């Protein structure tokens, strides 16, 4: 075989390999540099992971085009083939494209930001990052959940961090023999004496239902969002303690059976 015939092809292949290897190294350096600049910028934290991922993806696509050009492929034909292949790949990876579009929607509409505690698509946790295809959630017990952006953008999203204040709701059952005003005064004292409950809006304490085994009282108090769970557990503990002290009975479910002889 005449070496002069295949030599240009061998040179092109060698150049393509060198370009690929060097290009990947350069892309890694550029991505790292751009990532640092993005982290130092005043951009919203929700955008930063997405922009870093997008930068890396675009640079790698450009590198592939450069390698194909070095190999001597006709770029016009290659672009046409690439378009056809993209269409086929698009059909095969509809879910990924949906996730990409979902990521764009989430970043554009911003129903939540990095650091918010949300619930959506059957999962809940603190938003760690919004990537190109997935949103990372960290659960209270420190598990990481990767939720597809497409599913998340198409489902209902509950953002528990969107507002500075939240309302804590309680229902307490009390025996029918207990004085109503006594119960109301006790519940009022408990919620008003807690240091984290807010006076405006003022606490709501009312008798709300006559149950089968108990009279139900509804308590609603407003707190700063970060105090929600502290107040929730504190009030539950304090109500049990005060009810015991005040001799206010908390009845068990019961049923009266009348037998006719």
């Amino acid at each position: 075989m005449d070496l002069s015939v295949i030599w240009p092809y061998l040179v092109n292949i060698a150049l393509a390999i060198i370009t690929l290897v060097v290009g990947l190294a350069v892309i890694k350096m550029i991505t790292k540099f751009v990532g640092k600049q993005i982290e130092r910028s005043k951009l919203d934290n929700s955008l930063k992971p997405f922009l870093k991922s997008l930068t890396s993806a675009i640079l790698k696509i450009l590198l592939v085009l450069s390698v194909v050009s070095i190999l001597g492929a006709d770029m016009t034909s290659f672009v046409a083939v690439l378009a056809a292949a993209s269409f086929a790949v698009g059909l095969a990876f509809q879910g990924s494209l949906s996730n990409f579009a979902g990521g764009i929607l989430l970043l554009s509409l911003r129903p939540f930001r990095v650091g918010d505690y949300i619930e959506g698509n059957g999962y809940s946790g603190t938003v760690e990052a919004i990537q190109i295809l997935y949103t990372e959630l960290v659960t209270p017990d420190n598990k990481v959940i990767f939720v597809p952006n497409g599913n998340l953008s198409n489902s209902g999203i509950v953002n528990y961090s969107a507002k500075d204040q939240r309302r804590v709701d309680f229902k307490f059952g009390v025996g029918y023999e207990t004085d109503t005003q006594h119960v109301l005064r006790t519940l009022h004292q408990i919620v008003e004496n807690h240091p984290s409950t807010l006076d405006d809006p003022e606490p709501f304490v009312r008798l709300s239902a006559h149950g089968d085994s108990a009279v139900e009282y509804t308590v609603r108090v407003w707190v700063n969002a970060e105090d929600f769970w502290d107040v929730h557990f504190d009030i539950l503990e304090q109500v049990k303690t005060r009810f015991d002290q005040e001799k206010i009975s908390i009845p068990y479910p019961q049923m009266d059976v009348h037998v006719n002889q």
Side-chain angles (χ1 to χ4, degrees), residues 189-199 222-224 227 230-231 234-235 238:
Q189 290 171 3
I190 292 171
V191 298
E192 290 171 356
N193 291 337
H194 195 287
S196 297
T197 58
L198 303 178
D199 295 329
W222 287 89
V223 298
N224 292 321
D227 296 327
D230 286 339
V231 172
D234 287 349
I235 296 292
Q238 291 173 16

Side-chain angles (χ1 to χ4, degrees), residues 3 70 73 81 130 138 145 161 168 170 176-177 187 197 201 213 217 229 249 257:
L3 188 60
I70 291 172
V81 172
I130 304 173
V138 179
I145 303 175
S161 304
V168 192
F170 303 93
Y176 272 92
E177 71 283 358
L187 290 174
T197 58
S213 303
Y217 292 83
W229 288 111
S249 65
V257 180

Side-chain angles (χ1 to χ4, degrees), residues 130-145:
I130 304 173
Q131 304 286 0
I132 291 180
L133 301 179
Y134 298 93
T135 293
E136 297 179 30
L137 300 181
V138 179
T139 64
D141 57 347
N142 212 31
K143 291 184 291 189
V144 180
I145 303 175

Side-chain angles (χ1 to χ4, degrees), residues 75-261:
M75 293 305 296
T76 304
S77 303
F78 179 75
V79 170
V81 172
L82 184 63
S86 299
F87 179 74
V89 171
L91 292 176
F93 294 95
Q94 292 182 51
S96 296
L97 293 176
S98 173
N99 291 335
F100 178 77
I104 298 295
L105 283 174
L106 293 175
L107 288 169
S108 301
L109 300 177
R110 295 191 179 183
F112 55 82
R113 300 170 183 268
V114 170
D116 287 354
Y117 189 90
I118 68 167
E119 179 181 338
N121 196 40
Y123 301 99
S124 60
T126 302
V127 180
E128 182 81 1
I130 304 173
Q131 304 286 0
I132 291 180
L133 301 179
Y134 298 93
T135 293
E136 297 179 30
L137 300 181
V138 179
T139 64
D141 57 347
N142 212 31
K143 291 184 291 189
V144 180
I145 303 175
F146 296 88
V147 185
N149 288 334
N151 295 346
L152 195 57
S153 63
N154 289 324
S155 65
I157 299 173
V158 180
N159 189 337
Y160 293 98
S161 304
K163 298 294 185 181
D164 294 332
Q165 296 178 356
R166 289 183 61 189
R167 194 181 73 188
V168 192
D169 294 350
F170 303 93
K171 282 188 181 296
F172 300 106
V174 172
Y176 272 92
E177 71 283 358
T178 307
D179 179 66
T180 299
Q181 296 304 316
H182 183 200
V183 176
L184 292 174
R185 283 194 302 270
T186 302
L187 290 174
H188 267 293
Q189 290 171 3
I190 292 171
V191 298
E192 290 171 356
N193 291 337
H194 195 287
S196 297
T197 58
L198 303 178
D199 295 329
D200 186 20
E202 66 177 310
F204 176 91
V205 180
R206 296 295 298 272
L207 189 157
S208 56
H210 296 162
D212 293 335
S213 303
V215 179
E216 293 184 3
Y217 292 83
T218 295
V219 177
R220 297 171 182 164
V221 292
W222 287 89
V223 298
N224 292 321
E226 63 271 17
D227 296 327
F228 181 90
W229 288 111
D230 286 339
V231 172
H232 173 82
F233 292 118
D234 287 349
I235 296 292
L236 287 177
E237 292 174 3
Q238 291 173 16
V239 165
K240 178 63 172 68
T241 301
R242 282 293 303 278
F243 276 15
D244 289 344
Q245 294 173 352
E246 300 291 334
K247 308 300 181 183
I248 298 174
S249 65
I250 302 177
Y252 296 99
Q254 57 184 317
M255 179 184 296
D256 293 333
V257 180
H258 300 274
V259 180
N260 294 323
Q261 296 181 348

Side-chain angles (χ1 to χ4, degrees), residues 20-38:
L20 181 62
V21 174
V22 174
L24 289 174
V26 171
I27 286 174
K28 186 176 181 180
M29 293 173 58
I30 293 175
T31 303
K32 187 176 180 179
F33 174 76
V34 171
K36 288 182 178 178
Q37 298 304 313
I38 290 175

